[in-house]
Amino acid sequence: MAVLVTGGAGYIGSHMVWRMLDQGEDVVVLDRLSTGFDWAVPAEAELILGDIADQALVEETIARRGIDAIIHFAGSIVVPDSVADPLGYYLNNTVKSRALIESAVRCGVPHFIFSSTAAVYGTPETSPVAEGAALQPESPYGTSKLMTEIMLRDAAAAHDLAYTVLRYFNVAGADPGLRTGQSTKGATHLIKVAAEAATGKRAGMDVFGTDYPTPDGTCIRDYIHVSDLADAHAAALARLRAGGASITANCGYGKGYSVLEVIDAVKRVTGRDFEIRLGERRAGDAVSIVADPALAKAEFGWRPRFDDLDTIVSHAVRWEEHLRVANSGKA
Ligand SMILES: NC(=O)c1ccc[n+]([C@@H]2O[C@H](COP(=O)([O-])OP(=O)(O)OC[C@H]3O[C@@H](n4cnc5c(N)ncnc54)[C@H](O)[C@@H]3O)[C@@H](O)[C@H]2O)c1
């Protein structure tokens, strides 16, 4: 019995691979390394270089390794890119996910966990937002994920497959032991960008919009530590293996921080100042997106361990320092 982690060479997937190995699972990673790194995959896991839509490869792997669960992280994740290239996003996130789900069904894989996103809610009508809220994605990225949620629901109704969809809010931080972290080039995630500014990797940073109807005028988001997110997947997998029914659940803490609060935390934790350029709003940014995490806590018994902004920031900054030292060694 083994677990297939698609996108396991990427940011969140590599944390999941470590999380699975830590609990003694056999792990197989399938990744085409479009944004991931082979060095992010621990030697204890088998790394298969390939595409999730290569059904011959996927089905051979499922049979050869006795896969009982697929945890599907592989995808394209940059919202503005999805606006510029919607068909590319529908291909990679929706069409190729369909092929993967079909392979799972054909091979009788009983459990499937899918990385979805708070972007399926668009601008939520309520904050915190619960799973039953209206689904009105505002980008091709969000729509591409919602369509995969729907395919999974319908495939599970027709076949012997149970799934968990996890809708992530803003994922940040790094493995506390620095075994992996966010290494994406040109990342746009706020905490990563601020950590790069604090470690001198970039000259200051921009803040997009200071006139939102929030206490300090900047947007509010719910930041979840990547290791807590991996724990939520592990708990979801245990629940599915115990016979749990298919479910869709938010993964966030239920607490929001503004852009300026996050930047202050990075400056406070590092003791370093850096330039902040206050600019205009960016198209498509919702004012506030905060999770109601009650369902994941009740259904999976998920208990976050790093629910603290300064802890998330300090792990992100330590990873950035680690990357800086590793890269200077290569120069
Ligand atoms: N990072 C976040 O804040 C966030 C928030 C919500 C949802 N998500 C979802 O979580 C998942 C993982 O995100 P991440 O931040 O780790 O991104 P990432 O870019 O670091 O990882 C994605 C991985 O998938 C691989 N990949 C992409 N397309 C592939 C394909 N067709 N076949 C094989 N491999 C492929 C890439 O090489 C990469 O290793 C994504 O599905 C994303 O939509 C992320």
Side-chain angles (χ1 to χ4, degrees), residues 6 30-32 34 50-55 58-59 70 72-76 87-104 112 114 144-145 147-148 151-152:
T6 75
L30 174 62
D31 200 300
R32 66 177 186 182
S34 43
D51 199 287
I52 54 167
D54 182 343
Q55 291 187 309
V58 169
E59 292 172 25
I70 296 177
H72 177 31
F73 294 95
S76 304
L87 298 178
Y89 270 66
Y90 290 128
L91 174 61
N92 204 36
N93 290 351
T94 311
V95 175
K96 291 189 176 187
S97 290
R98 184 207 162 278
L100 181 70
I101 296 166
E102 185 174 58
S103 291
F112 198 104
F114 173 57
S144 71
K145 290 285 181 173
M147 290 198 288
T148 300
M151 286 192 297
L152 262 179

Side-chain angles (χ1 to χ4, degrees), residues 236-276:
L237 178 59
R239 178 184 167 282
L240 284 177
R241 282 176 171 164
S246 296
I247 193 171
T248 298
N250 287 338
C251 283
Y253 291 145
K255 256 188 311 204
Y257 292 97
S258 74
V259 173
L260 293 180
E261 283 174 326
V262 168
I263 293 173
D264 280 352
V266 174
K267 291 186 174 181
R268 184 173 61 244
V269 164
T270 59
R272 293 184 206 134
D273 200 9
F274 48 89
E275 187 198 352
I276 301 300

Side-chain angles (χ1 to χ4, degrees), residues 16 115 126 152 221 301:
M16 192 62 207
S115 303
T126 55
L152 262 179
R221 295 290 180 271

Side-chain angles (χ1 to χ4, degrees), residues 212-232:
Y212 286 97
T214 61
D216 66 18
T218 63
C219 291
I220 292 176
R221 295 290 180 271
D222 186 340
Y223 295 90
I224 173 173
H225 193 293
V226 63
S227 296
D228 278 338
L229 185 60
D231 283 357

Side-chain angles (χ1 to χ4, degrees), residues 70-86:
I70 296 177
I71 310 184
H72 177 31
F73 294 95
S76 304
I77 73 156
V78 183
V79 172
D81 289 356
S82 80
V83 176
D85 179 22

